[in-house]
C-alpha cells in the first residue's frame, strides 16, 4: 500500500493551457471537500490539471481523451522532449501572425501528422491554445481544431518557471500518463485510492453546452456510464469525487451520494452571452 501522505510538496505549478471547465477558480471549494488522506491519485479527465498541479501527488494516474493534450503532458517526462517543446514554442512565438496561425492550425489535416514527434504536436497545441480566440480548445466532428485567431500580434506561450517546476515534478515522482477511455484509466484503482472525475458537463435545458474537447463528444449515455463507474469504484472502497453542472439529471443519477452545490463562473465560450455564473455540483461518496 502506498503511503497515506501522497504529496510531493513541489510548489509553484499551475496549468500550462487554458482549458474549458478548468477548476482554478473552484480549487478552494474542491480542496475543502477532499478526503483527509488517500493513497494513489487518479484524474481520468485531467484537462488543464488545476487540482492535479495544486495537490502535486507523489503517485498519480492522469488521463485525457484529447491526444494532443496528452502529448504535452508526456513532454515533461523526457528531457529531450522537454527541450524540444520549449524550442518549438519559442519559434511559434517569433512567427506569430494571423497567416501563420492558420497555417499551423491546418497541420492536423495533413497525412502523417500523428507520426510527428510528440514535442512538435504538443507545441502546436499549446501555441494554438494561446493564440486562438478566448483560449477555447474545440474540434469538429473529424477531430480538427477549428477555433479562430485572437488577432494579437504578440503572445507568450509558456512560463519558464512554471515549465521547469512541472518538469522537476514529473522527474521526481511517479506520474502515469494515458490517453484512454476513463474506465480504462481507473481499472487499477483500489481501496483508499482517490479518483477525481471532471468530465464534460451535462447541458442545462435552456443553454448550449460545450462538449467539443474531443471528436467523440459526451452525451447523457456517457454520463450514465460514468455514474456506473463511480458506483463501482465506490463499492471497491475507492474515494471518489465528481464535478458537474447542477442539473436535474445529474442530481437524479447521483441521488445516493453526497451532493454539494457550489457557485462557479464560466469564462470560456465563443458566445459572450453564455459566460457568467452557474451552479455546479461536487459529488462525493465519503
Amino acid at each position: 500500500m502506498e503511503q497515506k501522505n501522497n504529496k510531493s510538496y513541489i510548489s509553484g505549478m499551475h496549468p500550462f493551457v487554458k482549458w474549458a471547465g478548468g477548476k482554478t477558480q473552484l480549487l478552494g471549494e474542491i480542496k475543502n471537500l477532499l478526503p483527509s488522506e488517500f493513497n494513489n491519485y487518479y484524474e481520468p479527465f485531467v484537462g488543464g490539471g488545476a487540482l492535479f498541479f495544486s495537490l502535486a501527488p507523489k503517485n498519480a494516474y492522469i488521463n485525457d481523451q484529447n491526444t494532443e493534450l496528452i502529448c504535452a503532458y508526456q513532454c515533461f517526462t523526457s528531457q529531450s522532449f522537454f527541450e524540444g517543446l520549449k524550442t518549438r514554442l519559442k519559434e511559434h512565438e517569433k512567427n506569430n501572425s494571423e497567416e501563420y496561425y492558420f497555417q499551423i492550425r491546418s497541420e492536423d489535416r495533413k497525412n502523417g501528422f500523428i507520426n510527428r514527434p510528440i514535442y512538435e504536436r504538443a507545441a502546436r497545441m499549446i501555441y494554438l491554445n494561446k493564440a486562438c480566440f478566448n483560449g477555447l480548445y474545440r474540434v469538429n466532428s473529424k477531430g480538427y481544431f477549428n477555433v479562430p485567431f485572437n488577432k494579437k500580434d504578440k503572445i507568450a506561450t509558456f512560463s519558464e518557471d512554471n515549465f521547469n517546476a512541472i518538469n522537476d515534478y514529473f522527474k521526481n515522482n511517479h506520474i502515469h500518463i494515458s490517453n484512454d477511455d476513463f474506465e480504462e484509466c481507473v481499472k487499477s484503482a483500489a481501496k483508499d485510492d482517490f479518483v477525481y472525475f471532471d468530465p464534460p458537463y451535462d447541458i442545462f435545458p435552456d443553454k448550449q453546452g460545450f462538449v467539443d474537447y474531443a471528436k467523440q463528444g459526451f452525451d447523457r449515455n456517457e454520463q450514465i456510464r460514468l455514474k456506473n463507474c463511480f458506483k463501482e469504484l465506490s463499492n471497491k472502497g475507492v474515494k471518489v469525487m465528481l464535478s458537474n453542472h447542477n442539473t436535474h439529471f445529474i442530481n437524479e443519477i447521483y441521488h445516493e451520494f453526497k451532493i454539494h452545490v457550489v457557485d462557479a463562473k464560466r469564462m470560456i465560450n465563443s458566445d459572450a452571452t453564455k459566460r457568467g455564473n452557474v451552479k455546479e455540483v461536487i459529488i462525493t461518496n465519503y
Side-chain angles (χ1 to χ4, degrees), residues 111-141:
N111 290 334
F113 172 74
I114 61 171
N115 297 320
R116 293 185 183 182
I118 65 167
Y119 63 83
E120 286 192 10
R121 293 172 61 189
R124 172 185 174 273
M125 187 277 296
I126 294 172
Y127 165 67
L128 293 176
N129 181 261
K130 302 297 182 180
C132 74
F133 176 73
N134 200 39
L136 174 68
Y137 192 97
R138 183 187 66 202
V139 297
N140 62 21
S141 60

Side-chain angles (χ1 to χ4, degrees), residues 6-11 13 51-59 169 173:
N6 181 22
K7 186 169 175 59
S8 71
Y9 296 102
I10 290 179
S11 60
M13 294 187 296
L51 181 61
F52 167 63
F53 286 130
S54 178
L55 294 180
K58 291 180 178 179
N59 306 288
Y169 168 61
N173 294 279

Side-chain angles (χ1 to χ4, degrees), residues 102-167:
F102 285 111
Q103 174 190 329
I104 298 301
R105 197 185 78 165
S106 68
E107 287 183 351
D108 59 358
R109 277 85 166 164
K110 298 176 181 176
N111 290 334
F113 172 74
I114 61 171
N115 297 320
R116 293 185 183 182
I118 65 167
Y119 63 83
E120 286 192 10
R121 293 172 61 189
R124 172 185 174 273
M125 187 277 296
I126 294 172
Y127 165 67
L128 293 176
N129 181 261
K130 302 297 182 180
C132 74
F133 176 73
N134 200 39
L136 174 68
Y137 192 97
R138 183 187 66 202
V139 297
N140 62 21
S141 60
K142 295 182 179 179
Y144 298 147
F145 187 83
N146 65 350
V147 184
F149 183 57
N150 67 7
K151 300 188 182 299
K152 292 182 180 178
D153 293 332
K154 293 185 178 181
I155 59 165
T157 57
F158 71 102
S159 157
E160 189 85 37
D161 288 345
N162 188 46
F163 262 36
N164 288 338
I166 296 172
N167 186 225

